[in-house]
Amino acid sequence: MNVDRSTIIDNYFKIWAVVLPITSFLVIPFIQGTTPAYIFALLSILIIPVLTKFKGKGSDYIRDLLFFLYIYICINLIGQLYLSFDIKFHPDFSTVRIIDDDDISTTVFRKSMFTQSLYLLAAVATFVFVKNFYKPNWDNFIFLGACILGIYGIYEVTYFLLFHENGDFISNRTFGDGTHSGSLFQTITIGSLVLQRLKSLTGEPSMYAFTILPFWIYAIHKKKTLISLFLFITLMLTTSTTAYIGMIMYTLIRIRYFGVKDKIVLFLIVIGLIVCLLNWDFISMFVNATILEKLSLSNDSGIERFMLFTNHMDFYKNLPLFTQIFGMGFGVVRSTDMFSTLLVNNGVVGFVLFTLLFFYPVFKLENTYQNIGLKAALIVIYFSMMISVPEYSYLSTWLFLGMAYNMIPKRNIAYNTSYTKSNLKITG
């Protein structure tokens, strides 16, 4: 691959990175999935073979993409084959949240399997692109995309404080029959203060938190102090349980690697204590409104999450044994947690493979400061998904997965064939 083509690939991703976190804006408003980032992801499948001519990293890209597709197709076909032969099995979808509400009778090859697979294809395309082509100078553009998202979120919060109405003029994504906005406007009342929960150009505050948490962690480990502080402030303004639990998880991970006396750990603890001491009553109401009521099932959100988790697990337990192993097929149900969603859709096999995908780099990456940040980001993403954000198609997730796999020493990847004669050195 010559220099010019390599430059094209670099510039392609740099533009892509700026819009990668955006999920509530569609280039073609009436066609779902046409967010700028998804378009870049799907086009990359066509562009990379043309630019690389299936050589070097281009061949590795194709190999990785085909490997994922092979595993995905095998798992789903095995599950669908069994369901097609089990004529006695008629699932009752009335207790679970199915993706296609208009189809409550189809068991085999549901339409949602194919539509959701397109989102997954974009996600996997992002992963294999970054895994094979990532360069450290991309980081500035990765952070630029995160900061643009945060700046727009700050604008929305400020606009609401001044004019007491929604200031979002960019989001245009809708779901269902077009009446459900893809970007929710939510406020929180703490005492006499009414605040808009920061969500920016994502679906809702928890989705913003899910998106930005890994950027915040990675900024810390790249020693981007101002960026990490800015993203920290935006995360706080989401008033999202996902954000706060993610921060706590990161603090515990950091203690594991660097101890309680680490300056970042101390900073996070001191900031928390200062805020509490300055206005304990306000903090008490804030914590109760954002975390305790949800965890204790005292508000509608907490109750709904618990009921959906219970219903989906009961549904899973009543599936035939073979279906419990391989699932009903990708894209059938979507609970409020990834754990029960994965079990129903792709069974134990799908859950295990998904978990291995995240934790392989956690164990294989060397413990440099930057790599520890990637490990922490993956752990926070994984458990956020399992507990409260069943969103597999947010490309920020696959961006950090790709970066982590790119940084694994090549000797630890048994199937890697990226070495060529030009980069082998003979010693002795």
Side-chain angles (χ1 to χ4, degrees):
M1 183 171 59
N2 60 44
V3 175
D4 290 337
R5 289 172 178 170
S6 176
T7 301
I8 292 173
I9 292 175
D10 282 355
N11 292 335
Y12 184 85
F13 181 80
K14 289 173 182 177
I15 299 171
W16 181 4
V18 175
V19 298
L20 188 143
I22 298 173
T23 58
S24 66
F25 173 76
L26 299 177
V27 176
I28 307 174
F30 54 88
I31 300 180
Q32 288 294 336
T34 58
T35 66
Y38 285 169
I39 292 174
F40 273 101
L42 294 174
L43 284 178
S44 69
I45 298 175
L46 302 176
I47 291 173
I48 293 303
V50 172
L51 290 177
T52 62
K53 298 182 179 180
F54 299 94
K55 297 179 181 179
K57 291 182 180 180
S59 65
D60 295 340
Y61 171 92
I62 297 298
R63 178 207 62 205
D64 290 340
L65 185 61
L66 292 177
F67 176 76
F68 264 88
L69 291 176
Y70 174 76
I71 296 297
Y72 173 78
I73 291 172
C74 284
I75 293 174
N76 282 282
L77 282 182
I78 291 171
Q80 297 302 293
L81 182 64
Y82 175 82
L83 290 174
S84 65
F85 287 123
D86 191 353
I87 59 176
K88 295 181 179 180
F89 177 59
H90 300 287
D92 179 11
F93 291 123
S94 62
T95 60
V96 295
R97 179 186 285 176
I98 57 176
I99 290 178
D100 187 356
D101 294 329
D102 297 327
D103 186 0
I104 60 173
S105 59
T106 303
T107 302
V108 180
F109 292 114
R110 293 174 60 84
K111 182 177 69 174
S112 60
M113 174 187 292
F114 299 99
T115 57
Q116 294 300 305
S117 294
L118 287 175
Y119 293 108
L120 182 62
L121 179 61
V124 172
T126 303
F127 168 74
V128 297
F129 185 102
V130 177
K131 174 183 179 294
N132 287 286
F133 297 102
Y134 168 79
K135 294 181 179 179
N137 64 4
W138 290 3
D139 287 349
N140 290 333
F141 295 88
I142 290 170
F143 288 130
L144 177 60
C147 288
I148 290 174
L149 196 71
I151 290 169
Y152 190 78
I154 293 291
Y155 149 74
E156 286 184 294
V157 173
T158 305
Y159 188 93
F160 178 80
L161 283 174
L162 295 174
F163 303 106
H164 307 291
E165 61 182 19
N166 186 5
D168 185 1
F169 61 93
I170 294 180
S171 297
N172 64 355
R173 193 173 187 178
T174 59
F175 294 109
D177 56 1
T179 59
H180 297 88
S181 174
S183 187
L184 300 179
F185 173 74
Q186 298 177 336
T187 60
I188 185 170
T189 302
I190 306 171
S192 60
L193 181 64
V194 180
L195 294 171
Q196 178 181 348
R197 300 178 62 193
L198 189 147
K199 51 84 181 174
S200 191
L201 297 173
T202 63
E204 57 183 283
S206 63
M207 295 303 188
Y208 178 87
F210 176 68
T211 299
I212 291 298
L213 275 168
F215 289 94
W216 170 63
I217 294 170
Y218 190 58
I220 293 174
H221 287 258
K222 291 292 290 186
K223 299 182 180 180
K224 304 284 187 179
T225 304
L226 292 178
I227 293 175
S228 62
L229 283 174
F230 172 69
L231 296 180
F232 175 78
I233 292 170
T234 65
L235 286 168
M236 292 295 294
L237 290 173
T238 64
T239 68
S240 168
T241 305
T242 300
Y244 304 142
I245 291 178
M247 290 177 180
I248 293 171
M249 288 179 60
Y250 172 66
T251 303
L252 294 176
I253 293 169
R254 195 169 180 93
I255 291 173
R256 157 67 177 81
Y257 282 101
F258 306 111
V260 180
K261 296 182 180 180
D262 171 72
K263 61 181 181 181
I264 301 295
V265 172
L266 292 175
F267 170 79
L268 292 172
I269 294 174
V270 169
I271 289 295
L273 290 175
I274 290 174
V275 173
C276 290
L277 290 174
L278 288 176
N279 195 336
W280 174 252
D281 291 336
F282 179 84
I283 294 301
S284 178
M285 288 187 294
F286 181 81
V287 172
N288 185 64
T290 59
I291 299 178
L292 297 182
E293 286 186 358
K294 184 176 292 187
L295 295 179
S296 64
L297 307 183
S298 298
N299 66 12
D300 292 339
S301 176
I303 294 171
E304 180 187 24
R305 288 178 180 276
F306 179 76
M307 288 183 61
L308 283 172
F309 173 77
T310 302
N311 289 345
H312 283 77
M313 289 306 299
D314 287 340
F315 182 87
Y316 173 76
K317 292 174 184 177
N318 291 320
L319 293 174
L321 178 60
F322 196 88
T323 304
Q324 289 181 346
I325 296 174
F326 288 97
M328 292 197 64
F330 187 80
V332 175
V333 304
R334 188 180 189 275
S335 183
T336 51
D337 66 282
M338 184 61 82
F339 180 72
S340 63
T341 300
L342 270 176
L343 286 178
V344 174
N345 287 343
N346 293 111
V348 173
V349 171
F351 172 77
V352 170
L353 290 176
F354 188 79
T355 301
L356 288 175
L357 179 66
F358 276 82
F359 281 90
Y360 180 81
V362 170
F363 291 109
K364 289 297 184 179
L365 280 172
E366 297 175 346
N367 284 332
T368 64
Y369 188 64
Q370 177 177 326
N371 286 352
I372 290 172
L374 286 173
K375 292 182 181 185
L378 294 185
I379 292 171
V380 169
I381 289 172
Y382 177 84
F383 283 104
S384 296
M385 295 173 76
M386 289 297 154
I387 296 170
S388 62
V389 186
E391 187 53 74
Y392 66 89
S393 63
Y394 271 42
L395 299 191
S396 55
T397 297
W398 302 88
L399 165 67
F400 285 95
L401 269 173
M403 291 167 63
Y405 274 85
N406 178 272
M407 295 181 188
I408 296 175
K410 301 305 180 186
R411 63 180 180 274
N412 287 330
I413 305 179
Y415 60 84
N416 187 282
T417 59
S418 61
Y419 290 111
T420 61
K421 291 181 181 181
S422 62
N423 58 29
L424 284 174
K425 293 182 179 180
I426 298 175
T427 58

